Amino acid sequence: MTAIILFASFFLFLMLSVPIAIALGLALIITALYSPNLTLTFLSQSLVTSTDNFALMAVPFFILAGEIMGRGGISSKLFGVANVFVGRYTGGFAMAAILTSMFFAAISGSGPATVAAIGGMLIPAMVAEGYDRKFATSVIVSAGSLGIIIPPSIPLVLYGVSGSQSIGDLFIAGILPGIFLGVVMMMYSYFYSKKQGYSGTGEKFELKKMFKSLNEAKWSLLIPVIILGGIYGGIFTPTEAAVVAVVYAAIISLFVYRKVKIREFPGVLRDAALNSVVILIIIGTANAFGTVLSMERIPQDVANAFLSITENEFLLLILIVILLLIVGLFIDTSAAVIIFTPILLPMALEIGIDPIHFGVVMIVALAIGFITPPLGVNLFVGSGISGLSVHTLSRAVVPFVVVMLICLIVLVFIPQITLLWV
């Protein structure tokens, strides 16, 4: 009965459009008032202890680094590099936009931040080049979902903490799947653009232009090299890497590109703090939520239900993916990772699924939720930039949803893509 009250009250608050962090907290309070095994003191202690974690400190620092880089003129430099490589082909602007999003994803670790940083610059530019506004926006919105797959990824950090897995291994495991999804998106954009007659620049590839664009963007391109190289080289931990990213981003934004003024930093800090607080409240309440589920033996019941259907590794992963796709429609990615990792990971381990592979599959499945209503955070960001309604944009992204689903199935059945470098 406790679990029924917990879930019923949670989904009731979601349907009433209560923010997910608050919905989780209110559901826990209602459950605590009903259940003799729970107290409000226990809930308040869970909120504190669940966020008192050194690895979780990486989250607010990566958010701050993303805020600084989003305002620091980095997007235009990255687009210059991407355009040199793919801009001359059919649909070159669309493919360059996706490639730019991949570059920025390796810097920000956030889907909505990637859409905001890239979309504000490229959606108007693509429309000016003759691209349909719906297609241009759907390209940016969909590519933005790569922000939580390509490292450094905030959801991968949360999965590593929740599942006691190496964040460094998760980061390296996310590289190839992120590139794979980006390349397939570019392939779709190429064929669609060919059908619609969206031509490229037609300029010949020149080494001189390539080196010039790389030189102009070198400070931006060095960010993922420093972050990932430092982690894998054993120079610093992922949390320390996040601090290094903040310092580096501040230096190049203030003194190299000079797009951010010192007087603007309080605003940057405020926005990063607000975003961080929301995620940390979600982490605290979702952890308490997961603790209650464990007390009620929900993970064991779910595992038994799934394993009663099949014990085949791939079929079980498909069932889990279907569950996560449904979850991603309604629940924020951070909350979903923290709530469902303790439920699903033990089941995956029981039948021999690699936990690193499982984590990446889980994040890719939830990433699709960024471009599917009713939650679809990227859709709302893209709608605000382009002026299109969320309903119109939801229909425009359907082909990219299909592309991501196909890629997800490939990742499920070919774990070597995830585990090649781990």
Side-chain angles (χ1 to χ4, degrees):
M1 188 64 182
T2 300
I4 295 175
I5 292 175
L6 183 65
F7 278 106
S9 55
F10 174 56
F11 283 109
L12 174 62
F13 288 124
L14 286 183
M15 287 188 290
L16 293 174
S17 299
V18 176
I20 189 163
I22 307 302
L24 284 166
L26 291 175
L28 286 166
I29 291 173
I30 291 173
T31 306
L33 294 174
Y34 164 81
S35 174
N37 298 322
L38 294 176
T39 64
L40 295 178
T41 301
F42 162 77
L43 295 179
S44 60
Q45 289 173 340
S46 295
L47 286 172
V48 175
T49 56
S50 60
T51 53
D52 185 17
N53 187 306
F54 179 74
L56 279 179
M57 290 176 65
V59 174
F61 281 113
F62 275 131
I63 290 173
L64 177 56
E67 286 285 343
I68 296 171
M69 290 182 256
R71 303 189 190 193
I74 290 173
S75 303
S76 59
K77 304 295 183 183
L78 296 176
F79 178 73
V81 175
N83 199 43
V84 165
F85 285 101
V86 298
R88 63 187 181 279
Y89 299 112
T90 298
F93 222 106
M95 291 193 290
I98 295 172
L99 189 55
T100 305
S101 296
M102 293 168 67
F103 287 150
F104 197 85
I107 293 171
S108 70
S110 167
T114 302
V115 176
I118 305 300
M121 176 183 69
L122 293 188
I123 291 175
M126 290 179 70
V127 173
E129 287 289 322
Y131 285 80
D132 176 71
R133 185 177 296 274
K134 289 185 290 186
F135 175 67
T137 309
S138 67
V139 167
I140 303 296
V141 164
S142 303
S145 61
L146 299 175
I148 68 165
I149 301 170
I150 298 174
S153 160
I154 292 171
L156 282 177
V157 172
L158 299 179
Y159 173 83
V161 173
S162 301
S164 299
Q165 301 299 317
S166 166
I167 295 173
D169 286 347
L170 287 165
F171 277 5
I172 200 168
I175 296 174
L176 281 182
I179 294 173
F180 172 58
L181 264 75
V183 169
V184 177
M185 284 183 180
M186 285 193 283
M187 290 171 60
Y188 167 75
S189 298
Y190 171 82
F191 288 111
Y192 179 86
S193 297
K194 193 170 185 177
K195 180 180 178 181
Q196 298 297 320
Y198 300 143
S199 59
T201 61
E203 298 177 357
K204 292 183 178 180
F205 178 78
E206 296 180 14
L207 285 175
K208 183 179 179 180
K209 287 185 178 180
M210 182 191 74
F211 286 123
K212 181 181 178 182
S213 64
L214 287 173
N215 181 60
E216 291 176 348
K218 62 180 180 294
W219 300 111
S220 304
L221 295 173
L222 273 175
I223 297 174
V225 175
I226 292 172
I227 294 173
L228 301 179
I231 293 172
Y232 306 137
I235 300 172
F236 36 68
T237 66
T239 300
E240 292 165 343
V243 178
V244 171
V246 170
V247 174
Y248 184 88
I251 291 172
I252 64 170
S253 297
L254 283 169
F255 305 114
V256 179
Y257 295 146
R258 299 181 181 178
K259 295 292 185 178
V260 178
K261 308 298 181 183
I262 292 179
R263 65 176 179 271
E264 296 174 353
F265 250 70
V268 175
L269 292 171
R270 182 193 63 240
D271 292 344
L274 290 173
N275 290 331
S276 299
V277 165
V278 171
I279 291 180
L280 289 173
I281 292 175
I282 289 174
I283 290 170
T285 52
N287 265 308
F289 196 95
T291 300
V292 175
L293 293 182
S294 297
M295 292 170 61
E296 294 297 312
R297 296 185 59 81
I298 299 299
Q300 291 88 337
D301 292 340
V302 171
N304 291 335
F306 273 79
L307 293 173
S308 67
I309 299 173
T310 180
E311 292 189 8
N312 180 276
E313 174 184 340
F314 296 113
L315 290 179
L316 185 63
L317 261 180
I318 291 295
L319 290 175
I320 292 173
V321 162
I322 292 172
L323 171 64
L324 291 172
L325 289 172
I326 296 171
V327 166
L329 296 174
F330 305 100
I331 301 179
D332 176 83
T333 302
S334 299
V337 169
I338 297 167
I339 292 172
F340 286 93
T341 296
I343 296 175
L344 301 176
L345 181 57
M347 176 172 49
L349 293 173
E350 186 173 332
I351 62 169
I353 298 175
D354 186 280
I356 301 299
H357 172 59
F358 179 78
V360 173
V361 168
M362 184 177 190
I363 300 306
V364 173
L366 292 172
I368 297 175
F370 277 93
I371 57 173
T372 49
L375 190 61
V377 181
N378 285 9
L379 295 177
F380 288 93
V381 177
S383 174
I385 295 171
S386 66
L388 296 172
S389 69
V390 173
H391 177 70
T392 299
L393 200 50
S394 298
R395 288 183 294 175
V397 300
V398 168
F400 285 101
V401 173
V402 173
V403 165
M404 292 188 72
L405 286 172
I406 293 171
C407 291
L408 178 57
I409 293 171
V410 172
L411 292 175
V412 167
F413 287 98
I414 310 178
Q416 291 80 6
I417 297 176
T418 302
L419 302 175
L420 180 64
W421 291 342
V422 178

